[in-house]
Amino acid sequence: MMKKLLLIGAVCLLLLMAASAAAESTTVMVYLCGSNLESLYGSATRDIQEMLHSGLDGTQTKVLIMTGGSRAWADVSIPPDSTCIYALSPKAHGGGLKTKLLDSAPSRNMGEADTLSYFLNFCAEHTDTDRAALILWDHGGGPVNGVCWDENFGTDHLALEEIVSALSNSPFAENKLEWIGFDACLMSSVEVASKLSPFANYMISSQAEEPASGWDYSFLQGLENDADGGETGKRVVSTFMEVFPENYPSKVTMACTDLKNIDDLAKKTDAFFTTLKDQLTNTTYKEFAAIRQELESFSDKERDLVDLGEVIKKYESFAPAEAKLLMESYEKNVISSDHNKGVATGLTLYFPYYSMLNYNRVKDLYQKIDFSDGYLSFLEQFGKLQATSFVDWTNLSDRSSGPVRDTRTVFTLQLTPEEAANLAESTLVIVRQCADEAGNVFYVVVNPDGETELEDNQLIGDYVHSALYAVDADGQILNELPLRWTRDAEGHYVIE
């Protein structure tokens, strides 16, 4: 009987030791740049409240928050003219958590690397945990536009290089973060993943624009029991996506990427686009461009962010062997990804097409990301061919007509067979000539994005809206600019 009791006791001891070993203390650093998301909507304050009521115990998981970047806070205890660091600490009585002020200083620019670096170093000095994680909270703009717009400093923001600089000047240059998260739009890109891979094991982020409500911070509960950042990331993806069903009006995404093997993904990307570049010629450009148009955009088209997984599949026929190896590496690195509609496999790629002028502006900045030499060479070749005129597109106005055909408001443009063969894309844009009181003429776009179709070498654009004017008793137009209106699903007129 004594042996049985000893055996049971030994088993219980082993179980307790295993449970203790599984629990990992973590410091979660939240860089909360409120911006107009807070001053207009109180979004940052709501997320702080979510953290306070998330169910975390405040001992194994420590949360430190830097606040700033907003002209006004819904939580009036947070001063808009100061940059503060708070800890979520257990209440003395009654359970639950409260915010405890640890540091306060006159406003720092949260769009500067030094401010982020200060926060990272402060957290490292004032906590002693097994692991650390960082959340960057605010607007996001992808690899070329960065994150965290401080409205107290002219909407200055953190460029990707500044995030790298801040991390390089912190203890996490040597001791990696377990994960880095972006509670921000458009930051789940392969370029961002590549640049941050020396500083974190995992990245949690969204390819698409995030709703203002942002992450569901209930994921903090039980964080100490996660084996690694990948397990945490999967829970962030799950809790975030549970809120947004398929019928939610906007596209919503979330993903967790393993950054430990991102170098392999970069090498495979390099080989894939090197082969594509060899296939890209004057003859094949139209096919390449047509595929590029088919790629689903994240946010507006001019941002030129597309899904890397879709890029691999769409261009696979030009480099099948390289595409297979790249897809295998890609799927290994993206360990969790979910979305409510459209295409989203985890990471975007900046693929300039709709805004080559913007690419020329940020070209030097993008090249500094240094993700893939093969991809940069491909972009150079693609851009040169895009700027090449294979036919003479001048004097087209002599061949246009409109605006009426049958009962539809239609504009047409007759093309030659050569022009039709080299047409990649067209849009119907309608402008109205106006004049101010001094007689200065200016033009206002009435229809910016009309759809067109090509029939028998003829471009046809259909104006599907109606223009609404106010007129006096004599029929004279009173308002200089027309108002566009449509009818909604219930038959109501909607002024745009």
Side-chain angles (χ1 to χ4, degrees):
M1 184 67 178
M2 182 63 70
K3 288 184 179 179
K4 288 184 178 179
L5 289 174
L6 288 173
L7 180 60
I8 292 171
V11 170
C12 291
L13 180 60
L14 287 171
L15 289 173
L16 287 171
M17 289 175 64
S20 176
E24 293 277 349
S25 59
T26 304
T27 297
V28 179
M29 303 170 286
V30 185
Y31 193 73
L32 198 68
C33 181
S35 73
N36 65 342
L37 290 174
E38 174 63 18
S39 61
L40 296 180
Y41 312 110
S43 299
T45 291
R46 282 197 297 273
D47 276 353
I48 293 174
Q49 291 300 311
E50 274 190 24
M51 296 174 204
L52 287 168
H53 296 91
S54 63
L56 69 91
D57 62 9
T59 55
Q60 285 292 92
T61 300
K62 300 183 183 299
V63 178
L64 272 67
I65 306 169
M66 175 178 269
T67 61
S70 182
R71 295 191 183 109
W73 287 80
D75 182 344
V76 294
S77 69
I78 299 177
D81 57 352
S82 300
T83 302
C84 301
I85 298 177
Y86 298 90
L88 302 190
S89 60
K91 293 180 179 178
H93 305 285
L97 299 173
K98 64 178 181 179
T99 56
K100 178 182 178 182
L101 181 64
L102 301 181
D103 186 66
S104 180
S107 286
R108 297 175 180 268
N109 182 356
M110 295 191 77
E112 284 189 351
D114 287 348
T115 305
L116 176 56
S117 180
Y118 175 82
F119 179 53
L120 295 172
N121 282 281
F122 180 94
C123 293
E125 291 170 6
H126 290 79
T127 59
D128 182 18
T129 55
D130 301 317
R131 302 183 296 204
L134 171 66
I135 298 173
L136 296 172
W137 189 107
D138 188 26
H139 293 294
V144 298
N145 291 313
V147 69
C148 293
W149 272 256
D150 190 321
E151 67 176 359
N152 292 325
F153 289 86
T155 63
D156 187 22
H157 64 280
L158 288 171
L160 185 53
E161 284 294 328
E162 290 179 296
I163 300 173
V164 171
S165 174
L167 288 164
S168 298
N169 292 306
S170 78
F172 308 109
E174 295 182 2
N175 301 311
K176 279 189 177 184
L177 297 165
E178 183 59 24
W179 52 270
I180 184 168
F182 290 94
D183 193 353
C185 301
L186 307 172
M187 296 306 292
S188 193
S189 84
V190 66
E191 298 94 341
V192 174
S194 176
K195 290 298 287 185
L196 299 185
S197 61
F199 308 102
N201 292 324
Y202 297 90
M203 182 175 80
I204 308 166
S205 47
S206 171
Q207 292 178 269
E209 293 181 340
E210 276 191 12
S213 57
W215 287 14
D216 180 347
Y217 283 90
S218 66
F219 84 88
L220 290 170
Q221 185 176 27
L223 188 70
E224 65 275 7
N225 297 318
D226 291 344
D228 55 27
E231 194 168 320
T232 303
K234 291 176 182 178
R235 192 165 65 258
V236 173
V237 172
S238 175
T239 56
F240 179 80
M241 291 306 303
E242 284 175 0
V243 182
F244 304 104
E246 288 184 10
N247 61 357
Y248 186 77
S250 302
K251 182 175 182 176
V252 181
T253 70
M254 189 58 65
C256 178
T257 304
D258 187 340
L259 302 180
K260 296 187 294 295
N261 296 306
I262 211 73
D263 286 346
D264 180 69
L265 181 63
K267 290 176 183 177
K268 299 297 193 309
T269 302
D270 201 67
F272 177 67
F273 280 102
T274 297
T275 302
L276 286 190
K277 178 179 177 290
D278 294 338
Q279 303 289 324
L280 181 58
T281 65
N282 288 356
T283 304
T284 61
Y285 170 75
K286 183 184 176 184
E287 187 176 356
F288 272 75
I291 292 173
R292 174 61 184 86
Q293 289 173 42
E294 294 173 1
L295 298 175
E296 190 170 320
S297 298
F298 291 85
S299 188
D300 55 274
K301 288 184 175 181
E302 283 68 27
R303 289 189 185 271
D304 282 323
L305 294 173
V306 295
D307 185 82
L308 178 56
E310 189 182 21
V311 169
I312 299 169
K313 290 180 180 178
K314 293 285 188 179
Y315 287 101
E316 179 183 12
S317 62
F318 293 98
E322 292 82 358
K324 181 177 182 295
L325 293 173
L326 176 55
M327 184 60 79
E328 289 173 354
S329 179
Y330 180 58
E331 291 176 344
K332 181 180 180 180
N333 280 273
V334 179
I335 63 172
S336 179
S337 177
D338 198 4
H339 59 287
N340 65 336
K341 62 183 66 178
V343 176
T345 61
L347 293 172
T348 59
L349 175 72
Y350 178 56
F351 191 163
Y353 179 74
Y354 290 101
S355 185
M356 288 303 293
L357 288 175
N358 183 57
Y359 175 62
N360 291 331
R361 181 178 61 83
V362 301
K363 185 176 177 180
D364 291 341
L365 176 66
Y366 186 70
Q367 288 178 343
K368 288 180 181 178
I369 295 176
D370 194 27
F371 165 61
S372 164
D373 290 339
Y375 181 55
L376 288 176
S377 296
F378 170 82
L379 283 184
E380 284 295 308
Q381 178 76 351
F382 189 85
K384 288 177 182 177
L385 290 172
Q386 187 180 27
T388 301
S389 293
F390 298 106
V391 294
D392 182 6
W393 292 101
T394 59
N395 299 318
L396 293 177
S397 59
D398 295 338
R399 290 180 267 148
S400 63
S401 63
V404 178
R405 186 186 74 181
D406 299 329
T407 58
R408 298 159 57 202
T409 305
V410 173
F411 298 81
T412 62
L413 175 63
Q414 187 65 48
L415 302 179
T416 67
E418 183 183 19
E419 289 168 342
N422 283 279
L423 179 69
E425 185 180 23
S426 60
T427 301
L428 173 65
V429 179
I430 301 174
V431 298
R432 173 179 171 81
Q433 180 177 307
C434 304
D436 59 21
E437 294 180 355
N440 299 311
V441 175
F442 62 96
Y443 295 87
V444 174
V445 176
V446 178
N447 186 66
D449 53 3
E451 294 183 359
T452 61
E453 57 186 16
L454 185 64
E455 295 180 3
D456 299 325
N457 297 337
Q458 187 179 61
L459 267 179
I460 301 172
D462 194 353
Y463 180 65
V464 296
H465 301 278
S466 297
L468 183 66
Y469 294 90
V471 296
D472 60 18
D474 298 324
Q476 298 296 314
I477 295 175
L478 298 177
N479 57 310
E480 183 67 26
L481 301 180
L483 300 173
R484 289 200 322 179
W485 57 271
T486 55
R487 300 182 74 175
D488 63 19
E490 298 177 353
H492 302 133
Y493 292 102
V494 178
I495 296 176
E496 299 180 346

